[in-house]
Structures are given as C-alpha cells and as structure tokens.
Amino acid sequence: MNAGKKSLKGATLLLEALEKEGVDVIFGYPGGVLLPLYDALLDSSVRHILVRHEQGGVHAADGYARVTGKVGVCLATSGPGATNLVTGIANAYMDSIPLVVLTGQVVTSLLGTDSFQEADITGITTPITKHSYLVKDAREIPRIVKEAFYLAGTGRPGPVLIDLPKDILAAEIEPFSTEMNLKGYHVPGKGDSDKIAEVAKALSECSKPVIYAGGGVITAGAGAVLKQLAEKASLPVVTTLMGIGCFPYGHPNLLGMVGLHGAVAANYAVDDCDLLIAVGVRFDDRVTSGLGHLFATRAKIIHIDIDLAEIAKVVRTHIPIVGDARLVLEELLEALAGFQLPQVADWWDQLRSWKNYYPMRYDKDRLTAQLVIECIGELANEDTMVITDVGQHQMWAAQVYPVVKSRNFATSGGLGTMGFGLPAAMGAQIARPDDMAVLITGDGSFQMCIQELATIAHNKLPVKIVLLNNGVLGMVRQLQKYFSGERYNQIDLQGNPDFIKVAEAYGIHGIRVDSLEQVRSAISEAFEHPGPVLLEFAISPNDDVLPIVPPGKPITEMLGG
C-alpha cells in the first residue's frame, strides 16, 4: 500500500459511500456474512432499523422512498435473507420506486459451489431490477454505490441491487476513485420541441380533451405545472391509482380515478374524448381492461413518458414525446401562448352531467369502509400520509380519500402486494416523523407482515393502523360473486385472531369499533394518541367495490356505476 494513505475495510468504505449519498436510514436484518458490515455500523452515522422479516425491510424502504422521493435502502443477508427480498424488489420495480438493495453473499472463493446460504441473487433479480452488481473487488465499492444511487433515482426510477461477499466487506483497502462509468445510460430531459408544438396545435383544435395522469407526474415533481396547464386550458383530469395526489382532490377539473374501479365520469370521458394527453402512465390493463385497441378510440393520443419502451407499447400513439414530464409540460405551457385555447364549454356541460348523475355511492346509514375512510379524511390534515395494503380497502381508499398533495398516498399498484402496507407505513413514518402515517388495511393483508408490529412498537412509531375487518378475502370473494356464479371457495378467514389482543401483546393501543356512532370519536382518539394505535372496524363481508369493469369488457361497461 502507498505510504500516507489510510486503509479501510470494505464495510467502512461502503458506509462512507452511503453517507455521501445522503443515506440516513437502512432497514435491515443481519446474518453471518454481514458481520463485518454490522460491526462497522456501530461507528456510522447511518441509522439502522431492525425489521422482523426481510420482506418488511424492503417494503419499509419502498414506503420511505414513495413519501420522500429519495432512494430507499434495505439490507439482508445471503441465501434466504436475500430471496425474502424478491417480492418487495418486484413491487418497487413495477411501480418505478427508487431503491438500493444491499445483500450479503458468501465469500468469493465459494461462489458457484452451492455453499451454505448461497443464492445467485443477482441472477434471480435480473428481470426486476434496473441493474445489479456483484462486487468482486472492494476498491470498486465507492464507484458502484455512486452508480447504483444514480441509476435508481434518475430516468424512470427503480431498484438497483448490490451483492456483497463477506470477504469483500472484510477486506482492508485504500480509498479508490468514485468516478462513474455508465456508458450508454442516458437520462431524457426536455422533449422534442416540434412535437410539443404539435400538441399545442392539437389542443387548440380539439373540443373534448382529457389529461390522463399517472405516477410519472409525481416522480417528476410535475403536479404544479400539470395543474397550471389544466386550469389555463380548462382541461379535465383523470388519474391512475399511482397518480393519486398529483392533482388535488376536490379540484373542479378532477374527474377521479380511471379504469377497473374508476369513477364513471372519468371512464366515460376517456372513452368519448377527442384528444387524450397521457402523462407518466403505461396504459396498464387495470385502466385499459387489456383492450388497447378499444381504449380511447375517438381520440388523438399524446403520450409523454421518460421511458421510450412504454411509448406505443399498449395503445397506438399519435404524438410520442420522450422526456421528463415536468420539463415537457412546462414547454407545452409556453407553446400554448401561440395558439387559441380549446373551446370546451359544451364538453364540460357533458362532464358535469356525468359527475352529478354517477357519484360514488355507498350506504351512509351503517358502518361501511367508505364512511370510515371519509371520516379519516375529514379529521386528518392535508400532510397526512395514507398508506394502503391491497384489496377492497385499497380501492375504497383510492375512490374516496381526499388526497390533495403528491407523495401522501402510497399503495402497491403494479404488483398488488398484500402485506405491503404495514412495513411501508413504518418506512413512511420514519421518513417523515412530523407527519402522521395512517395505514388502511384488511384482515387478509394485515396478517402477511403482521410481525412488523414489533418494529413499530420498539421504535415508538405513531402509525395509526385502520383495520377494516370483514372476516374474508374481500376482493376474491367479490370476484367469485360476480364472475364465478357465487361459488365461494377459500375466502373465509376462519381462525383470525383477536387483533386488539395481538396489538396489545406488542404494547400497541387497540380500539375496536362495531357501530356507526363510535366511528368519529374512535378516530379522534387514535389521532390524539401519541403512539401507535390499531383501530379495528367490523364491516360487512357483503360490501363490494363498485363500479367494476368485468374482465374483457371496455371501461364504459361498468357494473354498479
């Protein structure tokens, strides 16, 4: 080694590289191959949160990333520790969430020998990561970490995995260059100005425009300019599930969520429009019913996305624009100055008629999930973070909860991962300790990562858990009801525990609600309590999420609309 240079262990170098990237917390679970790293953590400023299952760790990092826009970081040991991360990595990949996933690995001399707790995690996760690294030289750690964070957080975000053999973490090395080497990786910025001018011209000539906004608007921080555009040109807006919050709830231009369980007015508007401006969306089958050839068939379609691979993948695109959504919309606003704004008075008459005739309906004379969720919205503030699990409760929250700001609604969209909610709420609460995290979950999803109650209790995280307990796998039951001739099978959750006693066993305050009259006071009590609370609401298993588009039908053919 050269004189004058201080040698460092690979683990210390790794933590220093993470600190330089602004990492303040890691969600992790230790193991034998990670001993050098956990030893180095004792001397690091990085906070470590000990989760109770590796899947909880990756979902917590995911929740952290969703509510902040920063890259979330998780850590697991080799073999089963690493493979337990796979569902959470896939979840983040499907929803374009920036993560850096650190895994321990057996020593390099044993790679490929099927040694104890060895798994080819880089190979296993290749289809569900933006990139992955197997570190074989400790001197490369600073460069790899820098590249991983850049890849995870730029362009279309996503998870990047770094696999770290034990001998690499324990190696004594000298500091090394951190210069990135990402040949061929290009991050789109501004869009094509000529195509943006085409969009401005198309807007001036149309009479039934719609903006279709997705999660890419939130990722790009484009909500404010989207609102400016909609207000300037009197454009109606529909959002995807992932786009909830990019346009404020209650705004007169917002028609609601589009698709499978979308608002009737939103679905009708997309079907009848003559110009569809799709921003940061991927024309998911939950929106199009998997019928791209029948989606918005009357419209000229503009697709603005940072990922070229998404353009025209599902639906024919007339004007494709690859670029950062915020930069493209800003340029479109400027370009509109040279054109007449669209004449949309008659279109708005039709849209308002649909909105008034087809509101979201539910029974307000008994205890229902929608009533509970609306009451939460009334008692919470606009900075409250709402995190959901997956199922009926997720759709009810998407339909009625008043999200007015970006990054205050976090849910598993593309993968639909039951069990996501509890650890994601934990990660969100750690990310933003001054804002309240409210989890909306069901008795099926809640039990998938229920062990993270220990992490919440130990870290005194004031997460408010709203458990909508109907005793069944509600969404599966609903699908069997409508599309399997009411032949119910394996949806009855017999053997559910007393959830209040479970919460109390972890030292978490529990409140059970089984009548309409208790709802508001129970929610108020939970919100005022300084620590975590489990609020359990007994709801009917017969309540359905409506409207619903039957499989194979266009989005205008809704049941219960």
Side-chain angles (χ1 to χ4, degrees):
M1 292 185 179
N2 296 330
K5 282 194 175 182
K6 181 183 176 184
S7 64
L8 298 171
K9 282 189 175 182
T12 302
L13 203 58
L14 172 69
L15 290 168
E16 287 186 354
L18 293 176
E19 289 169 357
K20 287 178 182 176
E21 295 298 329
V23 175
D24 54 358
V25 63
I26 293 175
F27 301 91
Y29 203 95
V33 301
L34 289 176
L35 289 180
L37 181 52
Y38 274 84
D39 182 71
L41 268 167
L42 291 170
D43 302 314
S44 171
S45 65
V46 177
R47 180 185 180 189
H48 181 277
I49 300 294
L50 176 63
V51 296
R52 298 307 188 264
H53 189 285
E54 293 89 354
Q55 185 172 342
V58 66
H59 287 326
D62 185 320
Y64 175 100
R66 288 181 196 246
V67 303
T68 62
K70 295 172 62 177
V71 177
V73 183
C74 62
L75 170 64
T77 194
S78 62
T83 58
N84 279 342
L85 298 173
V86 170
T87 296
I89 295 171
N91 186 77
Y93 184 77
M94 289 283 282
D95 287 350
S96 303
I97 304 302
L99 297 184
V100 167
V101 179
L102 306 172
T103 53
Q105 185 55 276
V106 301
V107 296
T108 52
S109 62
L110 292 179
L111 287 171
T113 67
D114 295 328
S115 60
F116 178 66
Q117 291 193 334
E118 180 188 2
D120 178 11
I121 195 62
T122 55
I124 290 168
T125 60
T126 293
I128 53 171
T129 53
K130 281 188 76 173
H131 192 61
S132 59
Y133 297 89
L134 171 59
V135 185
K136 292 187 176 181
D137 184 340
R139 293 174 300 174
E140 294 184 336
I141 288 174
R143 173 186 62 81
I144 287 173
V145 169
K146 191 170 185 177
E147 288 180 5
F149 275 83
Y150 183 73
L151 288 169
T154 58
R156 181 177 182 172
V160 177
L161 185 138
I162 306 176
D163 201 25
L164 297 150
K166 183 178 181 179
D167 56 321
I168 298 299
L169 292 171
E172 292 272 354
I173 55 169
E174 293 178 355
F176 202 68
S177 170
T178 59
E179 186 176 346
M180 292 194 296
N181 181 23
L182 293 171
K183 294 177 181 178
Y185 182 71
H186 170 67
V187 179
K190 289 187 174 183
D192 185 306
S193 296
D194 291 339
K195 291 189 182 299
I196 291 171
E198 281 186 57
V199 177
K201 183 174 184 293
L203 259 174
S204 71
E205 295 171 348
C206 74
S207 58
K208 296 180 178 182
V210 169
I211 294 176
Y212 162 37
V217 175
I218 294 173
T219 298
V225 66
L226 177 71
K227 183 169 175 283
Q228 281 182 268
L229 176 64
E231 291 175 343
K232 180 180 180 66
S234 297
L235 305 177
V237 177
V238 302
T239 76
T240 65
L241 176 67
M242 290 297 297
I244 289 174
C246 75
F247 204 81
Y249 183 96
H251 191 286
N253 290 46
L254 182 64
L255 302 181
M257 184 174 69
V258 65
L260 177 65
H261 295 294
V264 175
N267 284 1
Y268 279 2
V270 168
D271 181 70
D272 198 40
C273 70
D274 62 3
L275 184 72
L276 185 69
I277 304 176
V279 188
V281 301
R282 56 188 181 89
F283 291 90
D284 174 64
D285 60 288
R286 301 277 285 193
V287 170
T288 66
S289 296
L291 304 171
H293 63 291
L294 296 179
F295 186 76
T297 55
R298 300 171 176 84
K300 176 180 284 189
I301 296 177
I302 291 104
H303 192 181
I304 301 167
D305 204 277
I306 202 160
D307 187 355
L308 175 62
E310 291 298 337
I311 303 291
K313 185 175 80 173
V314 176
V315 173
R316 181 189 176 194
T317 302
H318 299 89
I319 306 177
I321 300 176
V322 178
D324 179 279
R326 181 178 60 81
L327 298 177
V328 172
L329 292 180
E330 285 175 349
E331 192 168 348
L332 177 56
L333 261 176
E334 292 176 7
L336 279 178
F339 295 90
Q340 176 182 316
L341 294 176
Q343 303 302 301
V344 292
D346 291 344
W347 180 224
W348 270 110
D349 286 343
Q350 176 64 79
L351 296 174
R352 292 189 187 100
S353 174
W354 284 332
K355 283 187 72 173
N356 292 334
Y357 194 74
Y358 299 106
M360 288 292 176
R361 298 184 177 94
Y362 68 91
D363 189 347
K364 299 192 178 186
D365 296 324
R366 60 183 178 84
L367 181 54
T368 62
Q370 297 98 315
L371 184 141
V372 170
I373 294 166
E374 282 199 342
C375 189
I376 292 168
E378 291 169 6
L379 295 174
N381 62 49
E382 63 181 23
D383 292 317
T384 297
M385 300 172 287
V386 171
I387 300 90
T388 85
D389 256 303
V390 171
Q392 287 181 310
H393 62 274
Q394 175 191 33
M395 293 298 105
W396 283 320
Q399 289 177 339
V400 305
Y401 189 83
V403 186
V404 296
K405 288 184 177 180
S406 291
R407 302 201 178 279
N408 282 345
F409 185 80
T411 194
S412 171
L415 198 63
T417 307
M418 292 176 68
F420 165 81
L422 186 63
M426 180 172 77
Q429 190 67 85
I430 288 170
R432 289 166 48 185
D434 295 331
D435 297 323
M436 183 167 60
V438 176
L439 167 65
I440 298 175
T441 187
D443 46 322
S445 287
F446 184 51
Q447 294 181 82
M448 294 226 171
C449 284
I450 197 170
Q451 71 281 344
E452 297 310 327
L453 287 174
T455 312
I456 287 171
H458 175 71
N459 290 281
K460 297 180 174 60
L461 304 175
V463 176
K464 314 307 177 187
I465 302 163
V466 176
L467 173 59
L468 300 169
N469 187 353
N470 59 8
V472 297
L473 294 173
M475 189 60 84
V476 180
R477 183 187 188 280
Q478 176 175 333
L479 295 173
Q480 290 177 347
K481 172 183 176 179
Y482 284 96
F483 310 122
S484 295
E486 298 186 11
R487 288 168 57 84
Y488 300 118
N489 187 28
Q490 303 301 318
I491 45 82
D492 198 340
L493 293 176
Q494 295 177 354
N496 269 351
D498 182 326
F499 291 107
I500 299 298
K501 287 184 178 178
V502 171
E504 290 172 346
Y506 284 104
I508 293 173
H509 182 47
I511 305 170
R512 180 177 285 113
V513 178
D514 52 22
S515 72
L516 185 64
E517 293 74 25
Q518 298 172 285
V519 172
R520 183 170 289 269
S521 61
I523 295 171
S524 295
E525 179 186 342
F527 285 5
E528 291 167 5
H529 185 76
V533 179
L534 173 66
L535 270 166
E536 181 184 8
F537 294 90
I539 64 170
S540 171
N542 299 312
D543 289 346
D544 298 325
V545 179
L546 297 172
I548 182 173
V549 178
K553 298 293 184 181
I555 61 172
T556 52
E557 296 187 25
M558 295 162 277
L559 301 177

